[in-house]
Amino acid sequence: MWPSFSLNRPLVWLGLAALTAASLLPLLPLRLAALSLVVLGLLDAWRQIRREHQRRRLSEQALELSQDGMMISDADNRIVTVNPAFTQITGYTLEEIRGMDPSALSSGRQDKAFYDRYWQTLKTTGRWEGEIWNQRKHGDQYPEWLRVQAWHDPKGRVTHYVGLFTDISRHKAREQDLRRIGFEDPLTGLPNRRRLHDLLASRLRHLRAGEGLDLALIDIDGFKAINDSLGVDSGDRLLARFGQRLAAQVAGGIVGRLGGDEFLVIRTTTFDDHEKWVSSLRQHLSEPFEIEGSSLRLGLTIGSCRAPEDGREANVLFQRLESALYSAKRHGRNHDRRFRPSLEVESDRHLTILNELRQALAQGSQLEVYYQTQHRLDDGEMVGMEALLRWHHPDYGMVPPTEFIPLAERHGLMPALGGWVIDQVVAQISLWRGKGLGVLPVWVNLSALQLIQGDLESRLLSTLRQYRVPTPLLGLELTESVLLDERAGDISPRLEALRREGLQIAIDDFGTGYSSMAYLKRLPVDKLKLDREFIRALPHDNADAAITSAVLAMAQGLNLDVIAEGVETTEQRDFLLARGCRHVQGYLYARPQPASAVEARLRQIEVPALS
Ligand code: C2E
Ligand code: MG
Ligand code: MG
């Protein structure tokens, strides 16, 4: 193809004029002068042609180098030329594709309406840009980003279409990966919370008459303790295996991980055998898991519900599952609970109670600290007492702490409430000391939030200092779940520091959690409080008798003191005494009672006063 050159240049015009003049001029010198102008004009034209030629070569080479495919078609949309990238992407050479309509590349994924819009835009605006799926010579389909521009002649008629496109199949694959990451739990490969939500919504939309959904939210009991004792990697492996086993169990259903140790299972059914289904899940999952050579049997807490009976919207069902799970947890580990509407009524009642508790705390008059004495087993001597919070509600009477403390914990009221108890107790000790009574250590219960929020240590120490109460007179009871609460960070150094100040530490409700012996050994504590669950059926229940004996033997080995809680009978007392238990607390000795009642007992005993 010959390059064109512009006539819009003065030297060319001058040359042309000089050519005519050279033939007409009479004198030789003048003719020669005119001829030299002709030569100048020719040279200029030649230079221009060369430059134009170079420019074209350059743009052709650039197009050859380009990674983008290029295709030029004529006004009838027949392909005129393509660049090497076109061949590389589509697999067609220029010879194979020349003269064909670009629709030869079409994948068929876009319908006629799409192409109608394409042509309409191209005709009205002269350009089109967008994503389009085409087909390579070998048949596989790929997405490309296409930009098409119409070229016009000076009269405005279309002469050519130039199309430039980028193969975006790699981007697309990445996009898909990203999408998968957003929807998939990377640890187990199962759907994550977001995806589960969508899947549930879709199942709900497609429920046919007579069909229902069973939903179960499963939480592994004490998973943090497992993580702590086996290590995070093994914990992760356990979660992955757990997910796999669950998925194998509910073929055709949906299994996903909501996060942490919570899994959701959904299945479509035609009749309601919900309870049976939940217990079959539990049974299947309670088979031991082999991790790192040890065989682990897991405790599970399950909240469940059914659709459409318990809700027709994913959001509602998620909420109901959580309130069922929460309610199951409140009943202890290894429990199931199916959602009941009363759970929601319960949560309304909870909010009312919480508001009233806030007011009670602000006024202080309805709250009172009771004291339950603790005794030496061999001679019944009083050795200490536990401070237990009481709430005298004006309408309901005494509200048990088991009801309002978890509520205060959940709604962030516990640091204030626990702080109030500590102040009361320290003030009471100081009062007794002021009266010249020998005072025994008083143990207060600490909740997780007290450790997580606020500066518990400095508050404790400054209160003790303010009332001039020696630190050994205050003991702290922490349950295993508090000790294992990861939000409180590594608890050992904090306990160690408190003990250095002279305070004593006990593990409350020991035996109900999942602390491993390895973990216990590392913890700086003085005492274990054996939970009253194990004491209740003593001495007749063989399992409880074995557990109690084992805990006592183990504590001796670790040089830890043990106090048995909830001792109500002489038989229980005798059994404990025979197994080497030294301290007890329970109704057999005393119920929790107001400070004034304990004061009367304190007057009867002689305790060496601490300075
Ligand atoms: P806990 O710390 O394990 O307290 C022992 C519970 O066992 C007390 O129940 C006590 O009254 C009860 N108990 C003691 N001896 C016997 C017995 O022989 N038989 C029976 N059946 N029960 C006995 P209470 O006072 O209802 O407290 C329940 C729980 O509430 C406590 O369990 C503790 O976890 C929590 N709590 C109470 N006061 C406070 C507090 O000030 N702060 C915190 N964080 N928790 C508290
Ligand atoms: Mg306690
Ligand atoms: Mg206890």
Side-chain angles (χ1 to χ4, degrees):
M1 204 189 306
W2 270 99
S4 64
F5 72 96
S6 161
L7 289 178
N8 188 19
R9 293 177 66 98
L11 271 178
V12 174
W13 282 113
L14 199 65
L16 283 174
L19 189 64
T20 330
S23 59
L24 296 175
L25 283 171
L27 294 172
L28 189 65
L30 286 177
R31 277 189 182 184
L32 282 175
L35 274 176
S36 55
L37 283 178
V38 171
V39 170
L40 266 179
L42 281 174
L43 274 176
D44 187 49
W46 168 241
R47 226 178 294 141
Q48 194 196 342
I49 288 169
R50 250 194 39 204
R51 253 192 235 129
E52 185 64 22
H53 185 69
Q54 271 173 346
R55 207 171 56 79
R56 277 189 172 244
R57 283 285 312 143
L58 216 61
S59 50
E60 271 169 25
Q61 277 173 1
L63 275 176
E64 275 170 32
L65 280 177
S66 164
Q67 305 271 332
D68 285 352
M70 190 210 59
M71 167 184 69
I72 300 177
S73 53
D74 60 17
D76 298 328
N77 206 23
R78 301 278 153 200
I79 294 174
V80 180
T81 188
V82 297
N83 71 345
F86 176 99
T87 306
Q88 215 167 20
I89 297 169
T90 64
Y92 289 104
T93 62
L94 176 60
E95 288 68 41
E96 287 169 324
I97 200 84
R98 199 194 328 248
M100 287 170 67
D101 191 302
S103 64
L105 298 168
S106 166
S107 66
R109 284 204 193 197
Q110 288 86 211
D111 56 7
K112 185 174 168 300
F114 174 89
Y115 286 107
D116 286 349
R117 279 197 305 277
Y118 168 94
W119 281 112
Q120 197 189 358
T121 311
L122 199 54
K123 277 186 183 141
T124 49
T125 67
R127 45 191 306 135
W128 186 90
E129 179 164 354
E131 190 184 308
I132 194 165
W133 279 79
N134 273 347
Q135 186 162 328
R136 301 186 218 270
K137 186 175 161 189
H138 296 297
D140 58 317
Q141 300 185 346
Y142 69 97
E144 63 178 41
W145 189 259
L146 175 65
R147 278 158 294 158
V148 184
Q149 171 107 41
W151 275 7
H152 299 94
D153 66 12
K155 288 191 176 149
R157 284 178 304 221
V158 172
T159 60
H160 294 91
Y161 297 102
V162 180
L164 272 173
F165 60 91
T166 319
D167 181 350
I168 53 169
S169 46
R170 275 220 207 108
H171 291 269
K172 277 267 162 194
R174 251 194 61 218
E175 212 174 86
Q176 232 168 26
D177 279 353
L178 288 176
R179 204 171 305 150
R180 228 183 45 224
I181 290 168
F183 285 117
E184 201 176 78
D185 164 45
L187 186 69
T188 57
L190 295 171
N192 65 9
R193 181 181 284 271
R194 234 172 78 195
R195 178 87 183 118
L196 280 169
H197 199 278
D198 293 349
L199 289 170
L200 174 58
S202 144
R203 287 251 168 153
L204 286 166
R205 268 198 309 276
H206 296 110
L207 270 189
R208 285 192 291 264
E211 277 184 348
L213 293 180
D214 281 320
L215 297 104
L217 183 56
I218 305 176
D219 181 286
I220 303 177
D221 293 340
F223 183 72
K224 164 121 187 6
I226 297 172
N227 243 355
D228 279 347
S229 51
L230 292 182
V232 179
D233 287 346
S234 302
D236 283 356
R237 262 198 297 284
L238 176 65
L239 288 176
R241 298 245 189 103
F242 188 87
Q244 277 163 11
R245 194 187 286 181
L246 200 53
Q249 162 82 349
V250 270
I254 297 166
V255 172
R257 178 170 169 235
L258 288 177
D261 56 356
E262 275 186 15
F263 290 80
L264 177 68
V265 189
I266 304 169
R267 72 156 189 180
T268 309
T269 58
T270 44
F271 62 99
D272 183 353
D273 60 348
H274 189 78
E275 274 71 27
K276 217 171 120 198
W277 176 66
V278 172
S279 70
S280 75
L281 284 177
R282 171 181 289 291
Q283 196 187 2
H284 195 69
L285 294 165
S286 62
E287 294 294 316
F289 285 84
E290 303 296 327
I291 296 282
E292 305 293 312
S294 54
S295 171
L296 266 182
R297 211 178 270 280
L298 300 177
L300 303 174
T301 304
I302 306 179
S304 68
C305 70
R306 259 181 74 82
E309 294 91 315
D310 297 327
R312 292 174 174 276
E313 278 173 42
N315 274 340
V316 172
L317 290 163
F318 265 78
Q319 265 169 24
R320 297 196 155 166
L321 278 172
E322 287 189 3
S323 53
L325 181 70
Y326 178 69
S327 158
K329 278 189 184 173
R330 282 203 313 140
H331 283 79
R333 288 159 189 271
N334 228 13
H335 264 76
D336 323 328
R337 171 87 4 143
R338 180 172 174 175
F339 172 80
R340 280 178 286 113
S342 62
L343 290 181
E344 281 190 337
V345 176
E346 211 169 273
S347 79
D348 282 353
R349 197 170 84 89
H350 282 166
L351 282 185
T352 316
I353 291 184
L354 193 71
N355 276 333
E356 290 172 339
L357 183 57
R358 268 200 193 102
Q359 283 165 15
L361 181 60
Q363 295 161 0
S365 59
Q366 295 170 19
L367 298 174
E368 187 179 0
V369 178
Y370 271 35
Y371 296 86
Q372 187 179 26
T373 54
Q374 301 172 333
H375 299 261
R376 209 160 41 214
L377 248 177
D378 50 7
D379 58 5
E381 234 6 275
M382 203 165 124
V383 291
M385 55 191 107
E386 177 176 8
L388 293 158
L389 183 57
R390 294 291 178 262
W391 178 16
H392 307 278
H393 191 283
D395 304 327
Y396 310 137
M398 192 86 96
V399 184
T402 40
E403 182 152 337
F404 68 83
I405 284 178
L407 209 60
E409 177 89 35
R410 238 184 334 138
H411 294 273
L413 196 58
M414 213 45 224
L417 201 56
W420 184 87
V421 172
I422 291 168
D423 288 350
Q424 293 293 308
V425 167
V426 177
Q428 184 64 63
I429 299 175
S430 159
L431 200 75
W432 282 331
R433 276 163 57 84
K435 290 181 178 175
L437 297 170
V439 187
L440 300 165
V442 181
W443 296 80
V444 291
N445 293 282
L446 287 190
S447 82
L449 272 190
Q450 281 173 277
L451 278 161
I452 297 159
Q453 287 179 9
D455 191 0
L456 175 76
E457 287 88 339
S458 61
R459 178 164 184 180
L460 273 172
L461 295 173
S462 75
T463 310
L464 287 165
R465 223 168 286 136
Q466 184 194 338
Y467 286 97
R468 296 171 180 278
V469 169
T471 47
L473 286 184
L474 195 66
L476 306 175
E477 293 190 4
L478 294 95
T479 60
E480 283 172 82
S481 60
V482 172
L483 290 168
L484 294 171
D485 196 312
E486 53 213 345
R487 294 169 300 173
D490 188 1
I491 200 95
S492 296
R494 296 179 66 184
L495 298 185
E496 191 70 73
L498 285 167
R499 283 177 87 208
R500 270 201 304 274
E501 293 286 346
L503 283 95
Q504 302 185 68
I505 315 281
I507 300 186
D508 201 358
D509 303 342
F510 183 76
T512 54
Y514 280 74
S515 312
S516 66
M517 280 321 291
Y519 181 72
L520 251 191
K521 233 167 56 189
R522 281 193 283 123
L523 271 185
V525 297
D526 304 275
K527 202 181 264 201
L528 301 182
K529 294 194 78 177
L530 189 54
D531 193 63
R532 69 167 189 273
E533 269 298 299
F534 300 110
I535 310 297
R536 204 160 32 101
L538 287 184
H540 311 293
D541 186 293
N542 288 340
D544 285 347
I547 291 171
T548 307
S549 309
V551 170
L552 286 166
M554 170 206 90
Q556 248 168 14
L558 288 173
N559 224 359
L560 280 175
D561 196 6
V562 176
I563 175 163
E565 284 186 293
V567 176
E568 294 182 354
T569 67
T570 47
E571 273 182 310
Q572 291 166 341
R573 181 192 64 193
D574 295 343
F575 177 90
L576 289 163
L577 192 59
R579 295 297 184 289
C581 181
R582 291 178 50 223
H583 296 115
V584 279
Q585 173 181 343
Y587 293 174
L588 181 63
Y589 295 82
R591 293 202 173 228
Q593 47 200 325
S596 54
V598 184
E599 190 174 313
R601 298 190 69 166
L602 279 176
R603 287 187 192 285
Q604 297 159 8
I605 59 166
E606 270 183 41
V607 180
L610 279 165
S611 55

